[in-house]
Amino acid sequence: MAQLIKGETGEWEMVIGLEVHAQVTANSKLFSGASIEFGAAPNTHVSLVDAAMPGMLPVLNEYVVEQAVKTGYGLNAQVNQTSVFARKNYFYPDLPQGYQISQYDQPIVGTGKIEIDLPDGSVKEVGITRLRLEQDTGKSVHDMHPSKSYVDLNRSGSALMEIVSEPDIRGPEEAVAYISKLRMILQYLGTCNGNMDEGSMRADVNISVRKPGDEFGTRAEVKNVNSLKAVHQAIMFEAQRQIEIIEDGGEVDQETRLWDPNKLETRALRSKEDAHDYRYFPDPDLLPLELTDELMERIKSTLPELPDEKKHRFMESFGLSTYDASVLIAEQSRAAFFETVAEKAGDAKLAANWVINELLGALNKAEKDLNETPVSAEQLGQLVARIKDNTISGKIAKDVFAEMMETSKDADSIIDEKGLKQVTDTGAIEAIIDQVLAANPSQVETYKGGNEKLLGFFVGQVMKASQGKANPAMVNEILKKKLDG
Ligand code: ADP
Ligand code: MG
């Protein structure tokens, strides 16, 4: 799956490590009681702590700690019983304290790993280096006034998980698959909503290039890559840039670069030479964080079934393909919806087909989310059950389904009202067949003369005469008997 880039001197391999910042789902900030609601009027969710008023002291949010521990377990990672909050010192207008409270060499979560699903159907493991709990900054707003900048501190002090990967990623597809899987895990855990549009999940991309088999090259860190599309574009641009430098006899600078989503290029932000010395030191206002065994055990025992476990269960106990299982587990609510349909229908494979191809297809066309579906899981389950028990054919089911999407009525009501029940009464089917044969004497002659292809024609006529309601298998059988006998 590793994607190589052809240069003038041969093929190049990309080496990528990602730092993802994920906002912790909680009611309040990491060290204050202020709300973290998105989209509020500027500076309305700012406590004295978030504004860094003199003398204010941080009070650790216990729920946020539990969320980080939960995430650690969800990433198959080492959860550290003791961790330390440290000050990372730097000046920026949207950082009123003059430092960010983060963690340094003793983070709450250490090494772990996740499995990523690649477009060719293969699976790859990516190592997690660590997860740190830290404060988010405020936001500088530069585009509201021609000569002034504004500062909105609503985000200041919100809890972030900085999740760092090992340099195990080998191209843009893998990077996108990594972020997608990470987001899915966090959403399942309920520890981050994964909303990249609202900045709840943001990625910094570290990238270098090398000839396959060589040592790692010098990396550049690209900031501000805030959509999956941008991750893909930024990696391709940056790899190409580095290859050109090296092939021209130059050297890649270890530097921080910024992704410009309008110009579709990266540009230098700061180089290693003027890199910050953050003067990290343990925050004297906060004691080392000690997790009790009881808390760790409790969180471990309440972990939900995670995406990969669910995928494997769907494949093993329902016999679904990797593809179908992956589509169904992409969202927890989608998986739960499917399980209800499958149970009600009594046939998981048929249920998977209907959820993926019919329901998701129709919702997609109507530009609706699953939570806006006019057809409930129970209702869809009933419809599929009627196919399964031969009350209606799959073809008629599609018409019934279209009406359900329109009216939100139950399948059984529609089948009753419209008299769509499949005809399985031998006598009734025979009567229709006799009519059809009597009306088409020349075709009967031709068939008897050896043109057996005409059977399809008769089946079609009978189905038409029965308005699609005759059981097709019985029609076939009785027709053959009459024509051949
Ligand atoms: P720092 O603390 O300076 O940011 P880290 O060692 O924590 O450095 O690495 C940051 C990120 O860079 C990690 O995601 C890591 O996987 C990635 N990384 C490290 N070395 C390379 C490299 N040579 N090429 C690409 N990515 C790298
Ligand atoms: Mg870094």
Side-chain angles (χ1 to χ4, degrees):
M1 197 57 219
Q3 182 184 337
L4 300 176
I5 297 180
K6 221 170 153 51
E8 281 164 19
T9 59
E11 296 199 304
W12 294 85
E13 181 178 56
M14 295 168 264
V15 173
I16 298 158
L18 294 173
E19 288 176 54
V20 169
H21 288 93
Q23 188 181 74
V24 181
T25 300
N27 287 327
S28 53
K29 296 183 179 178
L30 182 52
F31 298 113
S32 86
S35 163
I36 58 168
E37 180 201 7
F38 178 79
N43 296 308
T44 54
H45 290 328
V46 187
S47 78
L48 297 173
V49 174
D50 310 321
M53 288 297 158
M56 291 300 116
L57 290 173
V59 176
L60 182 59
N61 183 334
E62 186 177 346
Y63 182 69
V64 169
V65 171
E66 292 183 12
Q67 292 283 66
V69 171
K70 206 177 195 181
T71 305
Y73 288 130
L75 301 176
N76 306 298
Q78 163 78 31
V79 173
N80 294 324
Q81 198 147 14
T82 304
S83 60
V84 173
F85 286 101
R87 288 188 184 178
K88 179 179 180 179
N89 299 280
Y90 66 99
F91 174 79
Y92 206 74
D94 58 22
L95 186 76
Q97 286 171 153
Y99 58 86
Q100 176 191 27
I101 305 178
S102 178
Q103 297 187 309
Y104 189 51
D105 51 1
Q106 286 180 271
I108 188 162
V109 173
T111 57
K113 57 176 191 289
I114 66 176
E115 264 183 19
I116 63 172
D117 301 292
L118 300 174
D120 68 358
S122 65
V123 166
K124 169 173 173 160
E125 202 167 87
V126 174
I128 302 289
T129 313
R130 60 161 187 268
L131 177 157
R132 286 173 174 160
L133 259 186
E134 64 185 24
Q135 293 178 304
D136 204 347
T137 60
K139 236 185 209 161
S140 301
V141 184
H142 303 295
D143 56 3
M144 278 177 67
H145 191 280
S147 59
K148 289 179 183 162
S149 285
Y150 293 88
V151 174
D152 175 6
L153 292 181
N154 278 352
R155 214 177 60 184
S156 167
S158 297
L160 294 180
M161 298 181 282
E162 181 214 53
I163 302 169
V164 178
S165 88
E166 291 290 301
D168 291 343
I169 296 162
R170 292 290 173 273
E173 271 88 24
E174 293 189 6
V176 166
Y178 171 82
I179 296 174
S180 306
K181 179 51 81 60
L182 182 60
R183 180 169 61 179
M184 209 190 287
I185 293 170
L186 300 182
Q187 286 173 333
Y188 265 63
L189 293 166
T191 58
C192 171
N193 67 24
N195 197 330
M196 295 185 89
D197 296 339
E198 295 179 358
S200 304
M201 227 178 120
R202 321 193 289 264
D204 296 339
V205 179
N206 291 271
I207 168 165
S208 62
V209 294
R210 66 170 176 184
K211 290 281 173 67
D214 281 2
E215 305 266 281
F216 284 169
T218 305
R219 74 189 150 102
E221 178 174 358
V222 186
K223 298 239 176 228
N224 194 34
V225 204
N226 295 330
S227 69
L228 294 178
K229 190 168 157 205
V231 166
H232 200 286
Q233 292 170 327
I235 289 172
M236 287 315 288
F237 176 88
E238 185 58 24
Q240 210 70 55
R241 187 188 70 87
Q242 294 182 9
I243 291 168
E244 274 167 34
I245 291 174
I246 301 170
E247 292 193 332
D248 284 350
E251 272 178 20
V252 174
D253 289 329
Q254 183 170 342
E255 62 185 0
T256 304
R257 301 178 67 85
L258 193 73
W259 171 244
D260 184 331
N262 299 314
K263 293 189 181 150
L264 299 182
E265 62 182 27
T266 66
R267 58 168 182 272
L269 197 63
R270 51 176 184 258
S271 73
K272 189 76 181 174
E273 284 73 65
D274 49 48
H276 287 271
D277 173 4
Y278 292 118
R279 292 173 292 126
Y280 277 101
F281 61 86
D283 192 310
D285 291 338
L286 291 157
L287 289 168
L289 172 59
E290 302 275 354
L291 305 175
T292 61
D293 293 332
E294 183 268 325
L295 177 114
M296 292 168 79
E297 279 313 311
R298 175 165 59 78
I299 293 173
K300 214 186 263 179
S301 69
T302 55
L303 282 187
E305 182 180 39
L306 290 166
D308 288 327
E309 295 171 301
K310 212 185 265 299
K311 187 175 81 186
H312 292 137
R313 180 166 62 83
F314 281 10
M315 291 167 66
E316 277 147 32
S317 40
F318 297 143
L320 301 187
S321 67
T322 318
Y323 176 81
D324 283 359
S326 302
V327 172
L328 292 171
I329 60 119
E331 287 166 28
Q332 226 167 1
S333 56
R334 186 185 289 180
F337 189 100
F338 158 71
E339 290 206 74
T340 306
V341 177
E343 194 183 333
K344 186 98 191 166
D347 185 327
K349 269 190 166 163
L350 199 55
N353 258 332
W354 273 82
V355 170
I356 296 171
N357 299 323
E358 304 304 325
L359 180 68
L360 293 181
L363 289 174
N364 195 21
K365 237 188 224 157
E367 293 182 3
K368 278 188 178 161
D369 272 349
L370 183 59
N371 60 17
E372 304 166 292
T373 176
V375 176
S376 73
E378 284 78 11
Q379 288 177 312
L380 186 58
Q382 184 184 69
L383 176 66
V384 179
R386 292 302 162 261
I387 306 168
K388 172 106 176 129
D389 68 13
N390 279 326
T391 306
I392 53 175
S393 66
K395 194 153 174 280
I396 293 240
K398 290 194 183 181
D399 298 337
V400 175
F401 176 71
E403 185 161 345
M404 291 168 75
M405 288 294 288
E406 285 285 313
T407 62
S408 291
K409 281 190 196 164
D410 281 350
D412 280 352
S413 320
I414 297 171
I415 294 168
D416 267 359
E417 270 166 34
K418 304 213 148 171
L420 296 175
K421 233 176 147 157
Q422 190 158 247
V423 178
T424 50
D425 167 15
T426 318
I429 293 176
E430 246 176 273
I432 301 171
I433 289 176
D434 288 342
Q435 272 173 29
V436 167
L437 296 183
N440 297 284
S442 63
Q443 280 87 345
V444 174
E445 279 297 298
T446 319
Y447 179 92
K448 291 198 165 159
N451 188 348
E452 298 200 347
K453 278 194 202 136
L454 272 173
L455 185 68
F457 163 77
F458 293 119
V459 172
Q461 292 296 307
V462 175
M463 293 307 292
K464 203 164 147 198
S466 76
Q467 288 161 315
K469 290 185 293 190
N471 178 299
M474 291 177 69
V475 170
N476 258 293
E477 196 188 306
I478 301 172
L479 254 176
K480 267 202 194 135
K481 228 185 262 166
K482 290 207 179 245
L483 287 166
D484 300 343

